[in-house]
Amino acid sequence: MKYFIARNKQWLEFVWIGIVLVFFKLYNNFIFEQGESYIFFVALFFVPLFLELVGSYVRRKNKAKYYIKHSSFLKLIESNLDKELIEEITNKTRMLTDSDTLTIYFGPRLLGKIKFTETYASISLIDTIVEYRFFYGPTEYILTKYDESGFEFRPVTYLFQRMLFRIDELSSLDLVYKEYYKKKKVIAVTLEDKGETLYFYKDKSNRKLSEKQVVETYINE
C-alpha cells in the first residue's frame, strides 16, 4: 500500500483537495462559523502532509536498498545474514560468534567455521584443511570440485541455501576424516560419511596414495 501511495501521491493529493473543496462548497459555500475554518484547513492539508511523509519514507527505504544492491555482494550478505542464515543454523546446532567468524558445532568433537570475505564465503573444519568455498563471482582459483562460484548473479538466499546444505552434511555423526602424509607433509585428505566422500583433496605432485600413509583418522562420534 505504501508503495502505491508513493507512486501516486500527487494524484491522490489532487483528488483529496478536490473532494474537500467540493464538500465545503456544498456544505457552507466557504462561509465558516464556530471554528469550521480550522476544520477546513486541517482537512485540506492533513492528508497531503501524510502522503508526503509516506512518500519520503519509501524514497529513503528504496535509496538504502539501492545502495546495498549496488555496493558489494558482501554488503548484501551482511544485510541478510542474521535472518536468512544464522537463525537457520541455530535451529540445527550450537554456534559461537565473533566479529570475524562464526564457529559451529558439527558434533561433540568437531568444530567448524564460517567466514565471509570480499570475494568468497567459506565453511571449514577447524584443525583440518577441509574447506568449502563459495565465490561470489567467476574465478580461476577453484582448488577442488567442492568449490562453487557465480553467486553474485543469483539472489543472496541461494548462497545461504548452498551453505546450509553443506552444514547439514557436516552435521552427520558418522564423519571420518583421514590425512595422508609423506615425509611429514600432508599430501591428501578425505572426509567421508558412511563410505560417501564429502571432501577429497590431493597434492597433484603425488599420484598414488597408500593406506599405509594414513597416520591420522578422525571420527566424529
Side-chain angles (χ1 to χ4, degrees):
M1 181 64 179
K2 57 181 178 289
Y3 295 104
F4 173 81
I5 292 175
R7 289 193 301 267
N8 301 278
K9 65 182 183 65
Q10 292 181 335
W11 284 105
L12 293 174
E13 291 172 3
F14 177 78
V15 170
W16 176 257
I17 291 173
I19 291 173
V20 172
L21 294 176
V22 170
F23 173 81
F24 278 94
K25 173 65 176 177
L26 298 176
Y27 176 69
N28 58 13
N29 199 28
F30 302 111
I31 300 174
F32 302 111
E33 298 178 354
Q34 298 179 349
E36 290 179 342
S37 60
Y38 294 104
I39 298 175
F40 170 74
F41 283 111
V42 169
L44 189 64
F45 294 110
F46 177 78
V47 170
L49 178 61
F50 172 76
L51 295 176
E52 287 293 335
L53 291 175
V54 172
S56 176
Y57 167 78
V58 172
R59 285 195 301 271
R60 289 197 305 270
K61 190 172 182 180
N62 288 339
K63 186 176 180 180
K65 287 183 178 179
Y66 179 89
Y67 170 77
I68 291 174
K69 183 176 181 180
H70 292 81
S71 54
S72 70
F73 194 69
L74 181 59
K75 292 286 186 181
L76 190 60
I77 290 172
E78 291 172 346
S79 66
N80 292 274
L81 184 61
D82 289 342
K83 183 177 181 181
E84 300 291 344
L85 184 65
I86 292 181
E87 285 187 9
E88 292 293 330
I89 294 174
T90 52
N91 290 334
K92 301 174 184 296
T93 183
R94 291 185 299 155
M95 65 185 306
L96 304 172
T97 62
D98 58 43
S99 58
D100 298 317
T101 58
L102 308 174
T103 302
I104 303 175
Y105 287 86
F106 289 122
R109 297 172 51 197
L110 186 60
L111 287 176
K113 281 189 176 182
I114 294 178
K115 181 174 66 175
F116 295 95
T117 72
E118 287 288 346
T119 56
Y120 70 91
S122 68
I123 300 173
S124 60
L125 301 185
I126 295 176
D127 297 327
T128 77
I129 65 172
V130 173
E131 183 178 30
Y132 300 92
R133 298 189 298 175
F134 306 84
F135 291 93
Y136 310 144
T139 181
E140 298 177 357
Y141 298 102
I142 293 180
L143 296 179
T144 73
K145 67 178 183 180
Y146 306 100
D147 292 337
E148 303 179 44
S149 64
F151 289 95
E152 69 179 3
F153 305 111
R154 296 171 175 264
V156 70
T157 51
Y158 180 72
L159 168 64
F160 295 150
Q161 289 171 4
R162 295 302 302 162
M163 296 180 74
L164 288 169
F165 171 77
R166 291 298 182 189
I167 290 170
D168 285 339
E169 282 189 328
L170 297 174
S171 299
S172 170
L173 296 180
D174 297 315
L175 292 179
V176 177
Y177 174 69
K178 297 180 181 180
E179 291 181 340
Y180 294 77
Y181 281 78
K182 184 176 182 180
K183 296 180 180 181
K184 297 183 179 181
K185 178 185 177 182
V186 178
I187 60 172
V189 300
T190 62
L191 183 68
E192 300 177 353
D193 174 27
K194 299 177 182 178
E196 179 184 357
T197 301
L198 301 181
Y199 189 90
F200 175 76
Y201 172 76
K202 182 171 71 71
D203 188 337
K204 295 181 180 179
S205 62
N206 293 273
R207 296 185 178 181
K208 294 183 179 180
L209 297 177
S210 171
E211 288 296 329
K212 294 181 180 179
Q213 294 174 300
V214 181
V215 297
E216 181 180 346
T217 301
Y218 182 87
I219 302 176
N220 184 21
E221 60 182 3

